[in-house]
Amino acid sequence: LKIVTLALGYSGVRRSIIDALIKLLDAEIYPIIPAQGSVGASGDLAPLAHLSCVLIGEGEARVKGERISGAEALQRAGLAPITLGPKEGLALLNGTQISTALALDACFRTEDVFDAAILSGAMSVDALKGSDTPFDPRIHQVRGQKGQIEVAARLRDLLIGSAIRESHRSGDTRVQDPYSFRCQPQVMGACLDLLRQAGATLEIEANAVTDNPLVFEDGAVLSGGNFHAEPVAFAADMISMAAAEIGSLSERRLAVLIDPALSGMPAFLTKEGGVNSGFMIVQVSAAALVSENKTLAHPASVDTIPTSANQEDHVSMATFAARKAGDIARNAASVVAMEFLAAAQGLDFHAPLKTSPPLQKALAQVRAVSAPLERDRSLAPDIAAVRRLIEQSAFR
């Protein structure tokens, strides 16, 4: 990101600065940068200083997992320490690249969680013997929300061909499913719309000039405020909201599946209750993560604290907003992994009836790393394995 913004030609740096950064990147030599220490206003000053230190032979870098000094990093890349010229130090320190990078990472992680949660949600609907009527296109067309329409269509496609669904299409006395099942298009669709908005903002920012002052071809040197990361902060907070809601909805479906009064299946999804607690503590763990996410999802962008002797008297807190968005996405990935395990267990209870072909594929992916729970065992390795699948985009 720093290479891109400098290469646009408005930062007043020599070509050799950009070439040196490219050479480090090509050699997979990465400056070690702390994720804390920026308020996202006059650029990500402190973190970007750690990036820039390596260019002058200071600081530290990471090469294939090894931590080395900035001087050694330059030697390995075949570079000599750079003596910075006028404006070059400021151009390297100014900018929103740290907060933008962290926000992009959170966005990509949340997209993976979103895709997985659509699948786990559809599996839970079938495990519950839930209705697909709430996904009827006519319902969503009359509202007109784009994300909602797309999520409903995806859920319909995932449930087509389910023998489990056909088995209770007539004679089912349950009128409506809980909101976490039937309102998936409305909630997940709103999350999708937010993620798209955030992604569009971050794509612009990744290709933007955000240092100061800026040097133009006509010789004008203009001082402004492109380093203020408010767009990034808002985008990161939107990602946080979406990721928190995806996890919250997933945990509620898990809670329904383990409740025999709501699911019609054995309590805690275990055939031999009493001595076996089944998925009881899995839901407790999911609830803990969801509760944590609710606190983390409080917007960082509404906070500000004056810095630099009140010259920088309004700041964005974008770097923290982006960092905690990533934390929320990681927590949500664990929650969705837990739902996958519970939904898979529920589908197994309906054998010999089979779910739809696409959900059979998802079930097979889960079962490849987690066997059915016959009696209590530690499910921590299973949760971790399914979470890895989510983070590897296996459910896209």
Side-chain angles (χ1 to χ4, degrees):
L1 294 180
K2 179 54 76 173
I3 290 165
V4 167
T5 190
L6 296 180
L8 289 170
Y10 297 95
S11 300
V13 303
R14 290 168 294 167
R15 172 68 181 264
S16 58
I17 300 292
I18 302 169
D19 289 341
L21 287 170
I22 292 172
K23 202 161 187 180
L24 288 172
L25 186 63
D26 287 345
E28 298 183 8
I29 296 172
Y30 305 118
I32 291 174
I33 304 170
Q36 293 173 293
S38 172
V39 295
S42 189
D44 292 313
L45 292 172
L48 284 172
H50 286 264
L51 181 152
S52 309
C53 274
V54 173
L55 289 178
I56 61 173
E58 301 290 340
E60 292 182 297
R62 186 179 71 254
V63 185
K64 295 180 173 58
E66 182 187 358
R67 195 172 186 131
I68 60 175
S69 69
E72 185 178 349
L74 288 179
Q75 287 179 350
R76 292 198 189 185
L79 293 167
I82 291 173
T83 300
L84 297 174
K87 180 63 173 65
E88 290 177 338
L90 188 56
L92 287 165
L93 299 187
N94 254 192
T96 64
Q97 286 76 45
I98 301 298
S99 52
T100 302
L102 289 170
L104 283 167
D105 177 69
C107 191
F108 300 148
R109 287 179 182 276
T110 305
E111 286 174 351
D112 285 334
V113 176
F114 176 89
D115 289 333
I118 293 292
L119 271 170
S120 66
M123 286 175 64
S124 290
V125 169
D126 227 18
L128 186 71
K129 287 191 170 180
S131 174
D132 55 3
T133 299
F135 312 138
D136 188 297
R138 291 167 291 185
I139 295 172
H140 308 285
Q141 288 293 340
V142 297
R143 192 178 197 183
Q145 295 289 352
K146 186 175 185 232
Q148 177 178 327
I149 291 168
E150 291 182 27
V151 169
R154 177 68 174 142
L155 289 168
R156 286 196 307 275
D157 290 344
L158 288 172
L159 289 163
I160 289 173
S162 168
I164 298 172
R165 174 62 182 126
E166 293 306 316
S167 72
H168 62 93
R169 194 171 287 280
S170 60
D172 192 346
T173 58
R174 184 168 52 203
V175 178
Q176 294 178 324
D177 298 322
Y179 284 8
S180 56
F181 289 78
R182 65 175 154 123
C183 294
Q184 289 184 75
Q186 289 79 7
V187 178
M188 294 292 283
C191 292
L192 178 58
D193 290 337
L194 271 190
L195 289 173
R196 283 177 170 159
Q197 170 84 29
T201 297
L202 295 175
E203 183 178 9
I204 292 170
E205 194 72 6
N207 294 283
V209 180
T210 58
D211 66 294
N212 186 68
L214 300 179
V215 182
F216 293 87
E217 289 184 7
D218 61 3
V221 179
L222 305 180
S223 182
N226 279 0
F227 47 64
H228 199 295
E230 195 80 343
V232 180
F234 282 164
D237 281 339
M238 286 193 289
I239 294 166
S240 290
M241 291 167 59
E245 283 295 88
I246 293 167
S248 180
L249 202 68
S250 176
E251 183 277 329
R252 285 294 80 204
R253 291 190 297 266
L254 168 55
V256 169
L257 293 179
I258 67 172
D259 186 341
L262 295 172
S263 71
M265 292 185 285
F268 305 112
L269 299 175
T270 183
K271 292 179 181 178
E272 300 180 20
V275 295
N276 290 293
S277 61
F279 282 79
M280 179 192 297
I281 304 304
V282 172
Q283 187 269 329
V284 170
S285 297
L289 292 174
V290 166
S291 181
E292 183 178 310
N293 278 355
K294 290 175 184 177
T295 298
L296 289 173
H298 183 281
S301 57
V302 300
D303 186 33
T304 182
I305 186 168
T307 61
S308 300
N310 279 308
Q311 176 68 20
E312 298 165 9
D313 58 349
H314 184 278
V315 301
S316 72
M317 291 298 175
T319 320
F320 174 52
R323 195 174 75 250
K324 70 184 181 65
D327 291 340
I328 294 170
R330 291 179 185 90
N331 286 343
S334 292
V335 174
V336 173
M338 295 174 198
E339 183 193 4
F340 263 123
L341 295 177
Q345 186 86 348
L347 290 175
D348 287 345
F349 281 143
H350 299 310
L353 294 176
K354 290 185 177 181
T355 188
S356 67
L359 294 183
Q360 286 180 47
K361 178 184 174 183
L363 177 60
Q365 288 176 284
V366 173
R367 285 288 170 250
V369 296
S370 174
L373 187 66
E374 301 295 342
R375 289 180 176 79
D376 279 0
R377 67 173 189 268
S378 172
L379 286 173
D382 303 62
I383 294 166
V386 177
R387 175 178 156 164
R388 280 194 295 273
L389 291 176
I390 294 171
E391 293 175 335
Q392 292 164 1
S393 308
F395 296 110
R396 285 207 162 186

